[in-house]
Amino acid sequence: MFRRVTSKPTTSEPRFAIIASETDEAQSAVRSLTKRYPLCGRDGADVLVVLGGDGFMLHTLHDMLDAGDTRPLFGMNRGTVGFLMNEWRPSGLAERLAKAKAITVRPLAMKATRCDGSVVERPAINEVSLLRQMRQTAKIELSVDGRVVMPELVCDGVLVATPAGSTAYNFSARGPILPLSANMLALTPLAPFRPRRWTGAILPDDVAVCLRVLEPERRPVAAVADQYEVRDVSEVRVTLDRSRALTLLFDPEHALDERIAMEQFVT
């Protein structure tokens, strides 16, 4: 999925390595940076420069979580939207890294129980979503900290989003945009049929959200943690994982917290 670039760094340059997607745009950017800077191998780097789009950044973040790697990431957009990325600019990279603003994001922890009783646990940086697998609508019971807050939601699905993910799938489903400092989670229905007027809820991020599938054999539901899908689930528990944190670096004028706040005024 990515190419590692290795070169011997000099003491006058920051120790960083490049992780790039396999797209032509990203590989062209690798060649440009390789000509300009002394690079080190990934294991010896203090900062990892990620070249690609938001999807590749999410993939890289999950790799970091799986490896227990807490080093900061500085992304440059060589993809499409690039919400999690900085502007592509090959010049002045060392200075940009020195001045970058650090943003900490914490993942959700998804514990999905399948109908056969097996359990799958996965992190999610943007959101955990439940989606109907067939033509029938899903029926889902919603609980917060063990209290049933909605006995039956008839819908295409429902999701729990972090502030970092609130401008992604959550926003397209008409969920709220959450500032990074809000310490909140968004609980947002997907095409709700009953109750029709329920548009979701904003919850403190220290709660446990339990989504129990009603009639799972007749109305099968899949759970998705970012890009990882688990099919035929009967129950999904979602909490914020405070034991793990990831650090994203941004140009001060292009920082993620400011971009999320300004998304509220985009027309």
Side-chain angles (χ1 to χ4, degrees):
M1 288 293 295
F2 56 78
R3 173 185 171 187
R4 300 181 184 181
V5 180
T6 305
S7 180
K8 185 177 180 180
T10 64
T11 56
S12 60
E13 294 289 344
R15 297 178 63 85
F16 62 88
I18 295 175
I19 303 173
S21 73
E22 294 294 343
T23 65
D24 292 341
E25 293 83 357
Q27 292 303 311
S28 176
V30 169
R31 292 189 290 272
S32 177
L33 294 180
T34 303
K35 292 177 182 177
R36 288 172 176 263
Y37 303 102
L39 307 173
C40 68
R42 179 169 177 172
D43 291 342
D46 299 313
V47 178
L48 302 176
V49 175
V50 181
L51 303 175
D54 286 340
F56 185 72
M57 175 60 87
L58 276 176
H59 174 82
T60 304
L61 289 168
H62 277 277
D63 281 349
M64 302 284 282
L65 285 173
D66 291 342
D69 194 336
T70 60
R71 287 174 295 177
L73 303 177
F74 183 88
M76 286 196 284
N77 187 23
R78 293 285 80 195
T80 306
V81 179
F83 196 82
L84 297 174
M85 316 299 279
N86 294 281
E87 177 186 354
W88 162 246
R89 200 166 63 242
S91 61
L93 181 56
E95 292 78 9
R96 293 172 72 187
L97 292 176
K99 296 178 181 179
K101 180 177 181 179
I103 299 292
T104 299
V105 296
R106 297 186 185 279
L108 297 171
M110 178 188 79
K111 182 178 182 180
T113 303
R114 290 193 178 103
C115 293
D116 63 7
S118 59
V119 175
V120 177
E121 298 187 39
R122 291 291 297 179
I125 294 153
N126 276 353
E127 75 277 321
V128 171
S129 55
L130 269 64
L131 306 165
R132 64 185 176 102
Q133 293 177 196
M134 298 179 66
R135 63 185 181 277
Q136 290 98 338
T137 56
K139 292 186 177 181
I140 301 170
E141 176 193 87
L142 310 182
S143 299
V144 177
D145 280 347
R147 176 187 176 188
V148 176
V149 294
M150 187 168 292
E152 183 179 272
L153 172 64
V154 183
C155 57
D156 279 357
V158 63
L159 64 83
V160 181
T162 65
S166 66
T167 59
Y169 191 9
N170 171 73
F171 187 49
S172 69
R174 299 185 179 275
I177 292 176
L178 303 176
L180 279 179
S181 60
N183 298 321
M184 297 288 181
L185 301 175
L187 178 62
T188 302
L190 305 173
F193 181 67
R194 289 285 188 274
R196 287 186 185 273
R197 291 186 174 85
W198 188 63
T199 58
I202 298 175
L203 304 172
D205 66 6
D206 60 352
V207 300
V209 179
C210 184
L211 309 168
R212 187 169 71 89
V213 180
L214 307 177
E215 304 176 33
E217 292 81 12
R218 183 181 170 207
R219 302 169 183 270
V221 169
V224 183
D226 287 343
Q227 302 153 333
Y228 187 89
E229 182 182 68
V230 182
R231 296 180 72 82
D232 299 315
V233 299
S234 60
E235 183 176 282
V236 174
R237 186 176 186 271
V238 183
T239 56
L240 186 70
D241 188 349
R242 297 181 183 279
S243 67
R244 297 197 282 182
L246 296 162
T247 302
L248 296 174
L249 300 178
F250 292 91
D251 294 319
E253 70 278 6
H254 196 71
L256 183 62
D257 52 353
E258 178 66 16
R259 296 184 71 189
I260 289 176
M262 293 307 297
E263 280 291 306
Q264 299 176 88
F265 304 100
V266 174
T267 57

